[in-house]
Amino acid sequence: MSTADSPVHAQLMDGVYRHQRHIYDLTRKFYLLGRDRLIDGLAVPPGGTVLELGCGTGRNLALAARRYPDARLFGLDISRVMLETAQRRMRRGTMGMAAFLAEGDASAFEARALFGRPHFDRVFLSYALSMIPPWQRTVAAALDCTAPGGALHIVDFGRQENLPGWFRAGLRRWLAAFHVSPRDSLREVLESECAKRGANLSFDSPFGGYAVHAVITLPGRGDVNPPSRRAP
């Protein structure tokens, strides 16, 4: 998908979530596993900045606001209707306007133009890569706006390699109906990005491979070409 295709994908996502957004958080909690673990593991530094790509209804940002009350929060989503729901959550919740939300394509965006800053201490994607066609570009864009010494956190659907074949086949058929495709080559893409950037990768496949949880930590400004490390 090229940048020119972004409006088409935005319309698709608006159509998918125009009505689902009202019950999204209630229903997704049963199968979007590992989201709370990701938030707990962000370890945001005091006064740090956090960007969620594909922030949807703002559920994760609201949780991050409670977990890290002095953090500065930012969210990006391509769906205008999901952002409307997120904005309402911000206004009625304990977050107030602590999160700055912007409409944009996670695979091609200018952080400084949208948010007034080029980098963030923590960037995360929660079950978003599986819905973004140019997901490899999204990984690169997320790392481009991660500050030196910062980290990119990802949770999404895995390969389900340790689950029964019938479960895997049924899950993937069901996900496809919602335009969701698990990224089976995610680990290889993350390893490639780490090699380019001298970054460290931690990669886990919890729940029998149902989900993946990955963290890429970038070298700090004072580091000179540190060797990349891959988790077993």
Side-chain angles (χ1 to χ4, degrees):
M1 186 179 77
S2 66
T3 304
D5 294 325
S6 294
V8 175
H9 189 58
Q11 291 174 5
L12 174 63
M13 292 297 97
D14 280 347
V16 168
Y17 291 119
R18 190 172 305 279
H19 301 294
Q20 283 193 45
R21 59 185 166 140
H22 302 298
I23 59 171
Y24 184 92
D25 293 326
L26 179 64
T27 57
R28 266 57 176 184
K29 68 180 181 180
F30 298 109
Y31 63 89
L32 298 188
L33 306 180
R35 294 182 298 170
D36 293 358
R37 173 190 172 191
L38 180 150
I39 299 298
D40 287 340
L42 288 176
V44 182
T49 52
V50 180
L51 169 64
E52 181 180 12
L53 299 177
C55 63
T57 65
R59 180 264 185 194
N60 296 325
L61 286 173
L63 184 61
R66 292 192 292 271
R67 180 69 175 78
Y68 309 101
D70 63 344
R72 291 169 288 166
L73 303 175
F74 302 81
L76 178 78
D77 205 281
I78 201 169
S79 170
R80 185 169 300 174
V81 298
M82 289 293 258
L83 286 174
E84 290 172 357
T85 298
Q87 289 283 12
R88 284 198 294 271
R89 182 192 294 272
M90 302 306 143
R91 287 194 293 268
R92 72 172 182 263
T94 57
M95 283 183 76
M97 292 306 294
F100 186 92
L101 305 179
E103 182 180 347
D105 182 348
S107 70
F109 65 96
E110 293 289 339
R112 187 185 294 277
L114 290 173
F115 303 112
R117 59 182 309 109
H119 298 111
F120 305 84
D121 297 304
R122 302 291 184 268
V123 180
F124 72 95
L125 292 124
S126 173
Y127 287 92
L129 287 179
S130 52
M131 295 198 72
I132 301 174
W135 64 273
Q136 297 98 327
R137 290 212 313 264
T138 299
V139 170
L143 287 167
D144 286 344
C145 70
T146 302
L152 167 64
H153 294 244
I154 298 170
V155 65
D156 215 311
F157 292 104
R159 296 176 176 175
Q160 304 96 43
E161 63 272 15
N162 295 319
L163 298 174
W166 62 265
F167 179 88
R168 177 179 179 177
L171 175 65
R172 292 189 174 225
R173 283 195 300 271
W174 182 70
L175 291 175
F178 296 95
H179 307 280
V180 176
S181 299
R183 306 308 184 187
D184 291 339
S185 60
L186 176 60
R187 180 165 188 160
E188 290 76 14
V189 169
L190 298 184
E191 289 174 346
S192 175
E193 288 291 340
C194 284
K196 295 175 189 174
R197 301 168 189 264
N200 290 336
L201 172 64
S202 170
F203 194 96
D204 187 24
S205 300
F207 314 113
Y210 177 92
V212 293
H213 181 217
V215 181
I216 291 180
T217 305
L218 295 182
R221 286 189 175 88
D223 297 333
V224 180
N225 297 324
S228 61
R229 175 180 58 82
R230 297 188 298 181

